[in-house]
Structures are given as structure tokens and as C-alpha cells.
Amino acid sequence: MADPLPPVIAIDGPSASGKGTIAEAVAQRLGFHYLDSGALYRIVGLVSGERGANLDNDLEISNISLNLNIKFEFSRVWVDGRDVSELIRGEVAGAAASRVAVLPGVRKALMALQRGFRRLPGLVADGRDMGSVVFPDAALKIYLTASPEERARRRYKQLMEKDSGASMAALLQDIRDRDFRDSTRAAAPLLKCADAIEIDTTGMPVGEVVAQVLHLYQKTQ
Ligand code: C5P
């Protein structure tokens, strides 16, 4: 019989729900690999924008996605030999990411890349469709949420640390727009799958959420 595939913990949810922080901490505690799938869409959005490509043209953007040399190393992200770690975190890359993410060809192009992260001893993957599309056989599926106001506050705090002049009202609007785009698109919309466990992190400290996810994972063993 073939060896079973390495276990996956899928953590999905809307933007700024704390997925990245929680997923990275859980991966570290378990010694698992970590996939930040949003970073892949951000890279495609960023590079496509820089090249002046039409962000609504599936064929053009899929071709760009298929030909990128992406490397994650020591918490940094490299594309074709260039460190884009800071650039992909900006609001411009975020907005471009959510635009190219509606294109079915782009989602298909990124599928094999994402599945390639599934290696021993296991993987924690965060995104929008980790449990529903990319790793439907995940051992544990978590759906993380928080109120839009709380998510805007978190993002505001993050951006303030970087001295950005963002306004709370603009961030809240951006989060609402992105939620709408992510949940109403035809290709792999953001949704809580039937077998996912929802955790509302509004007002919850990070350590508590991490402990809850680890506890839920232990129960699957
Ligand atoms: O998670 P993050 O905010 O970095 O993702 C950026 C954008 O990429 C999201 O707004 C979403 O449109 C898209 N995305 C996606 N599927 C994923 C991860 C991200 O469509 N698995």
C-alpha cells in the first residue's frame, strides 16, 4: 500500500482574520512546514502589475503565474532572484492579488505549486480555499473569522508600525470590498466548508487561538 500523504492543517478565513499569525505559530509548535497561499496571489498581482499586464486577462496572467520562480526562505519571499517580502505586503499588491484571484486559470496554475508544499512531517496551509479545494483531505480544517471592525483595527496597528498614513475608515472599506470580492467570485469563493471548525477570534489573544487549534489537531490523532 502507498504511504499516506503527510497531514495538513488547513486554516481559511477572510483577510486580516489573523490566519497568517496563527498558522505560522501552529506550524512552529508542530515542526510542520508552512504555506502562505495569499503570498502567491500577492506575488502574481504584484509582478503582473509591474509588467503592465491586464489584471483581468486570465490567459495573460496565468502565463505569468506559470513562469515565476518563487522561493520561500527564512521568512522571506524571493521571485526570480528578487526579495519581494515587503512589496507583497502593501495594499497595492493586496488589491491586485484579489483581482487576479478571480481568474480560474491563475488558480489552476497555482494549484500544483501549493500542493508541492505538502511534505513530511506535515503542513499548515493558510488561505481562502485550503480546506475546500487545494487540500480537501486535510486532517483538520479551521475557519478563522473576526468582525470587520476588529480586522481593520489589526491591519491599522500593523501599518502604523511601518509608519504608513492609512486611515481606519479606508481600511475598513477595503476589508469590506475584499470580503465581497472574495466571497462572491465564481472560482473557489471564500466559504466555510461543512467539515471546517469556525473560530471567531474577535477579542481573543493569539496564544489562546493557537492553543485551541493545537488541541483540535491532537483530537484528530
Ligand atoms: O491572505 P491574503 O490577504 O494575503 O491574500 C491576498 C488575496 O489573495 C486575497 O484577498 C484573496 O483574494 C486571494 N487569495 C485567494 N486564495 C487563497 C489565498 C489568497 O484567492 N488561497
Side-chain angles (χ1 to χ4, degrees), residues 10-14 128 141-145 190-193 196-200:
I11 303 189
D12 291 303
R128 304 293 188 288
K141 299 180 185 179
I142 300 286
Y143 189 78
L144 274 195
T145 57
L190 168 68
L191 54 86
K192 174 185 168 297
C193 36
I197 299 170
E198 181 165 344
I199 304 178
D200 184 339

Side-chain angles (χ1 to χ4, degrees), residues 9 11 19-35 74-75 121-126 206-207 210-211 213-214 217-218:
I9 299 178
I11 303 189
K19 298 180 307 280
T21 309
I22 304 301
E24 234 182 321
V26 169
Q28 203 168 29
R29 288 282 295 273
L30 294 170
F32 279 16
H33 299 280
Y34 166 56
L35 166 64
F74 311 118
S75 305
L123 174 70
V124 182
D126 90 56
V206 170
V210 172
V213 175
L214 288 170
Y217 181 61
Q218 270 149 19

